[in-house]
Amino acid sequence: MRGLIGKFRDFTGECKFGILAFILAFVLAFGFISLNLQRRFMLNQIKQFVLILEHNLHTAGYDLAYEDLNFSSLYPYALASAQNFQIYKKDAADFISWKIDQIKINSGFFSPKKITFDFSAPQKLQIKAKEYSIVPGNSAMDLNFDANGLNSIILEAENIYIKDFAEIKDFSFGARKTMPQAIYESSPFFDGHLRIHHVKLNGLLDYPLGQDIKNIALDTVLSGVIPYRQDFADSLDQWLKVGGHIDIRRFLINWHPLLLIARGELLFNEKFAPNLRLTASARGLLELLTQLQDKKLIDGKGAFVAKILLENKAFTIDDNDKHLSVVTPIDWRDGTLSVEKITILKN
């Protein structure tokens, strides 16, 4: 009798192990099937995005070029990869090109709706006849999607080296969709930020102020829902019709002796030409205008008048401050830059 009981216990123990093994195998199989289905969905989204991107680039006068374009929904292979990837402007008189030897697009095991980009280095940026070699150092780009499409984008890089131009210690850009409880066509749609820290310019370049830019920061809110259209120009037209614009919550430049903090808004006309309106509090702005004037980078007469108006209302923060501070409007409209409503630059 005891022997039978022992054999029964052994049998039930083996059954429990078998059941657990079956459950584990089922969960793993279900997980991989679910993962590959989601990756296949994201892969179709990427293919559609590439087609829409090519169409809109052609409309704007740009084009895409690439070799060995591959797609795969199987984990852990990249969702998409391409060699000799290039975006360029077709107008030879105003040529712009960005080249990357290899680009890979992938998604995570536990977050298949999070898309990551891997770019090879160095990259090459060409503006007309001038070419810049860019080594982005540690860099990452992530896109997150939800049921309504793109939800957020993050681009970060450290120790960026741009040959013959500058070195950048830290760079980050991020934007995320805002979801108020009752969203209207004119409601805030995306929050965005840009951070650039510790830029060291090439000492051989002819630029104003010092060689080191300590900080550049920008915080924005894009107001107005951008509807999904295959033609991006149609999306922008609808966005403008509902009063689409960009609120600039903070714009900061710390480039000794210049320390500028501003806020304002960026509007667009029916041709999508920008109209930037800022109210700035700035220390060292007079020194910047003087150096730009000396280098003949701005209109001499306009700068002369603007500096007189600024000097009349300038002040110092404390007795030991060597640089004057001002509060002034700064506007960019129809290719014209003005300070104190005086034009200092016109295209």
Side-chain angles (χ1 to χ4, degrees), residues 4 53 96 105 129 230 321:
L4 289 175
L53 178 63
I96 299 174
I105 305 174
Q230 293 229 344
D321 200 341

Side-chain angles (χ1 to χ4, degrees), residues 1 9 13 15 31 73 92 115 130-131 144 149 154 181 196 209 238 250 268 277 297 307 328 330 339:
M1 189 68 181
R9 287 176 177 174
C15 287
S73 63
I115 302 298
K130 185 67 175 178
E131 187 172 278
N144 283 281
I154 298 174
Q181 292 181 350
I196 303 175
L209 305 182
Q238 292 298 318
R250 184 180 68 137
F268 301 90
R277 299 190 301 211
L297 297 175
K307 286 197 299 180
T328 181
I330 299 176
V339 176

